[in-house]
Amino acid sequence: MTPKSLFTSRRLRKALFGALAAASLSIAAFAQETATPTLDPKALTLFSKPADVWPTYNGDYSGRRYISLDQVNQKNIADLKVKWKYKIEGVTIRGSGNPTIKSTPLMVGGVLYFTVPDHVFAVDARTGKERWHYDFEDHGGHVLGQRGVGMYGKWIYFLTPDGWFISLDSGTGKERWRKKVADEKLQYFTTMAAVIVKNHIIIGVGGDAMDVRGYLESRDPETGELQWRWWSEPLKMGDLGSETWPTQAAMDHGGGMTWMPGTYDPELNLIYWGTGNTNPVYAGQSRKGANLYTDSIVALDPDSGKMKWYFQGSPHDTHDWDNVETPILFDTTIDGKPRKLLAQAARCGYFFVLDRETGKNLVSKPFTLTANWSMGLDKRGQPIPNPDKDPKVDGSMVDVPANGATNWPAPSYSPQTGLFYVNASEGYSIAWLYDTSKDPQGYAGGASGRIDSKSSLIALDPKTGDVRWKHVAKSGGEEGGGMTGGILTTSGNLLFTGDSNHLAAFDPANGKILWSSKLESAVSNGPSTWELDGTQNVIVGAGDTLYSFTLDGK
């Protein structure tokens, strides 16, 4: 062979190998585009989920929103930049205008799944390119928010505002079936992200306006049929807990909605769920007593729906203090002994820490001001309501803001620091009673005012309830300003959350701001993170736009 022909042969081989490599990449890319993402049940764990998946609303069953990824860390956080953005276009939410992303996207098989009311989106996690969009036309129900989807195998589960429970194919968005789970004509609405526990799809409901009972139920993942239903109030007088209600009628209309995802301990086989406010919302004269099991944390057997224990955060609630905030599960050592614990920063202004096996209280302490609506604690560590602070015709001031000391956005717990983190509202509000009759209905009153208000990120010591540090936002306000969205902590010694229209990263040990990036809107969901193709992504929703941040971003 001549040198010229040898050169030609080598060049030909190189070109051939290049073409084959390109073809292989194209085939791999096509396979990624066309494969149906399937969730491995082993990805659903208490604490240590795989790095390349975000399989449920809180990432894992614990609700900690702490992720063991450190590619992005304190040393290189300055290099974190936007890789891609996905903006929802052509969607208007009934009565609300532009959509707001409040869901935390699931990420399975390189695809992100997230929602706004009536809509599910599947977006390529590498590029932000839309794969499919499912559009539902509701016939009622509440459209203020939608928290996301659940996933079982290759099936996506979604709740519409008007009480439809829908199963979709994860690869195509094609509807598999739908089941009616709540009656919008009774003012129930369904906004939560389904939680998958073994062969159970756990879903809850919301609704205040018509004084209906709250409930939590389990559905079969294959058929959507009901497996069990747990009611937030006892079903009849004489049942355990009915002694905290004066009449059957009061109990039948008592509220206690279950509109936020709970948590699960596989070893104990218990789900932990928060229940909402009591009805009538601001008037308590027709329902004297503690009103179990509203405004509580309940531990239920996921196979039967039977309650093992409860703890009531706001007995006889008259201030609309839904106790649905995430009950975070964590393990620690106290007095030299390992403990399985649960912690909740509640809307009523108290921070609670419980033994998650028994429900026994370890800590009950205000985390903003003094929670002056209560006058101490009972023997179980539950607050004792102060009747002088009930809503009144001429107003009653409490040192908790009108919408609570915190709300639905996700808190976090970091085993690195041993601290619990929550975005909180500090200040005062005034509550009024409009309906003084002996049989009030609906809200029967209201609250207003964010007097001397502050929006703060607070770090709490779960062993004592003490505030370790606090960051006060420069701008106050509710979901549009101040500290917004949920909280994410990572093993890169970082805490991510929204701060005054920025995504910000803090040092979780001391609250120092390390980095921030201005967004087009305030952070509106819980930030999440995962690793794909060796790259850690930080994902956040802000208004109608989903952002992906990486170290090799633009």
Side-chain angles (χ1 to χ4, degrees):
M1 184 179 288
T2 66
K4 183 178 179 180
S5 62
L6 179 63
F7 172 77
T8 303
S9 177
R10 285 176 177 169
R11 186 167 60 183
L12 183 62
R13 286 199 301 269
K14 184 176 180 181
L16 181 60
F17 288 151
L20 288 172
S24 297
L25 287 172
S26 297
I27 291 169
F30 178 76
Q32 288 175 353
E33 286 284 339
T34 58
T36 298
T38 301
L39 179 63
D40 185 344
K42 294 179 181 177
L44 296 168
T45 61
L46 178 58
F47 294 132
S48 301
K49 74 171 187 63
D52 62 351
V53 65
W54 189 280
T56 190
Y57 177 76
N58 286 310
D60 61 25
Y61 280 137
S62 74
R64 300 183 310 175
R65 289 189 178 240
Y66 169 85
I67 306 301
S68 295
L69 288 176
D70 60 5
Q71 185 182 98
V72 180
N73 54 58
Q74 289 195 8
K75 292 182 180 180
N76 59 25
I77 185 66
D79 297 325
L80 194 66
K81 294 181 176 62
V82 175
K83 182 177 183 179
W84 55 256
K85 296 188 290 185
Y86 174 87
K87 183 180 178 65
I88 298 173
E89 296 180 335
V91 171
T92 300
I93 305 301
R94 167 175 51 87
S96 302
N98 289 336
T100 297
I101 300 170
K102 295 185 177 182
S103 67
T104 298
L106 303 194
M107 200 288 284
V108 177
V111 180
L112 289 162
Y113 300 95
F114 65 98
T115 65
V116 295
D118 288 325
H119 299 268
V120 184
F121 301 89
V123 169
D124 190 296
R126 295 174 175 86
T127 65
K129 179 182 177 182
E130 183 180 300
R131 285 200 174 190
W132 55 257
H133 169 202
Y134 175 83
D135 184 355
F136 182 85
E137 182 180 355
D138 69 72
H139 295 280
H142 190 45
V143 292
L144 182 61
Q146 218 292 330
R147 313 300 170 204
V149 298
M151 190 169 183
Y152 180 92
K154 70 172 186 175
W155 306 114
I156 297 292
Y157 299 92
F158 172 61
L159 286 162
T160 70
D162 52 348
W164 286 101
F165 175 50
I166 297 176
S167 179
L168 307 174
D169 185 297
S170 66
T172 64
K174 182 179 178 181
E175 186 174 317
R176 178 190 183 199
W177 46 250
R178 65 176 70 177
K179 302 290 181 180
K180 191 71 168 175
V181 298
D183 187 350
E184 78 280 6
K185 295 181 181 62
L186 296 177
Q187 295 296 308
Y188 283 110
F189 53 85
T190 38
T191 64
M192 69 160 282
V195 176
I196 283 71
V197 173
K198 298 189 290 188
N199 67 330
H200 309 291
I201 313 295
I202 314 296
I203 56 176
V205 295
D208 278 339
M210 291 183 67
D211 298 347
V212 287
R213 283 175 175 267
Y215 57 89
L216 186 71
E217 63 182 33
S218 174
R219 294 270 166 171
D220 186 288
E222 299 297 341
T223 66
E225 294 301 316
L226 182 68
Q227 294 173 329
W228 55 257
R229 178 178 286 181
W230 177 84
W231 295 93
S232 298
E233 290 84 31
L235 289 177
K236 63 183 186 302
M237 300 307 290
D239 288 350
L240 188 66
S242 64
E243 68 280 3
T244 65
W245 296 87
T247 65
Q248 180 74 42
M251 205 160 60
D252 288 341
H253 300 284
M257 300 301 155
T258 52
W259 53 276
M260 281 295 293
T263 50
Y264 172 60
D265 186 328
E267 182 181 334
L268 299 176
N269 196 34
L270 289 174
I271 57 173
Y272 305 91
W273 224 271
T275 64
N277 60 273
T278 323
N279 289 349
V281 180
Y282 288 95
Q285 63 265 30
S286 64
R287 52 175 176 83
K288 295 185 184 300
N291 307 142
L292 290 173
Y293 297 93
T294 65
D295 293 283
S296 299
I297 299 168
V298 294
L300 307 178
D301 183 324
D303 298 315
S304 65
K306 292 183 179 179
M307 187 175 69
K308 181 175 180 180
W309 58 257
Y310 77 90
F311 179 89
Q312 194 171 31
S314 302
H316 190 70
D317 177 21
T318 56
H319 291 87
D320 195 20
W321 285 331
D322 300 66
N323 206 68
V324 297
E325 290 71 37
T326 305
I328 287 181
L329 313 183
F330 66 101
D331 295 342
T332 192
T333 300
I334 297 178
D335 297 329
K337 297 179 181 179
R339 299 294 298 271
K340 296 179 182 294
L341 302 179
L342 175 155
Q344 181 196 51
R347 196 165 166 178
C348 68
Y350 269 91
F351 179 56
F352 301 114
V353 180
L354 312 175
D355 184 306
R356 69 175 183 266
E357 294 187 73
T358 65
K360 183 179 179 181
N361 174 263
L362 280 74
V363 174
S364 293
K365 192 170 185 177
F367 65 93
T368 54
L369 297 176
T370 68
N372 68 350
W373 63 271
S374 72
M375 51 185 187
L377 303 170
D378 66 16
K379 62 182 181 181
R380 297 191 70 206
Q382 300 171 143
I384 301 170
N386 182 352
D388 291 339
K389 293 299 182 181
D390 281 347
K392 294 179 172 53
V393 173
D394 56 355
S396 174
M397 180 177 280
V398 294
D399 62 1
V400 176
N403 287 307
T406 187
N407 211 303
W408 66 269
S412 182
Y413 170 85
S414 170
Q416 277 189 325
T417 62
L419 298 179
F420 181 107
Y421 306 95
V422 61
N423 279 333
S425 296
E426 302 178 85
Y428 301 81
S429 64
I430 298 174
W432 283 275
L433 183 65
Y434 304 153
D435 188 342
T436 60
S437 70
K438 64 178 183 179
D439 187 25
Q441 297 178 17
Y443 278 78
S448 64
R450 299 181 60 82
I451 304 163
D452 193 26
S453 64
K454 297 176 183 177
S455 181
S456 305
L457 169 63
I458 298 177
L460 297 162
D461 185 338
K463 295 182 180 180
T464 63
D466 293 341
V467 174
R468 286 285 192 89
W469 58 258
K470 181 191 300 186
H471 166 81
V472 179
K474 291 181 180 179
S475 64
E478 234 173 282
E479 293 189 13
M483 307 307 300
T484 63
I487 300 171
L488 170 74
T489 52
T490 75
S491 59
N493 282 309
L494 295 171
L495 181 155
F496 291 95
T497 193
D499 183 359
S500 307
N501 279 32
H502 289 72
L503 174 64
F506 294 78
D507 185 326
N510 56 34
K512 178 183 177 182
I513 295 182
L514 304 173
W515 167 92
S516 69
S517 178
K518 185 171 175 56
L519 307 177
E520 295 173 19
S521 300
V523 171
S524 54
N525 76 342
S528 56
T529 189
W530 33 263
E531 188 174 278
L532 192 60
D533 304 329
T535 299
Q536 183 180 351
N537 289 246
V538 177
I539 302 295
V540 68
D544 61 5
T545 302
L546 193 68
Y547 296 80
S548 172
F549 287 83
T550 64
L551 294 175
D552 61 353
K554 299 174 185 177

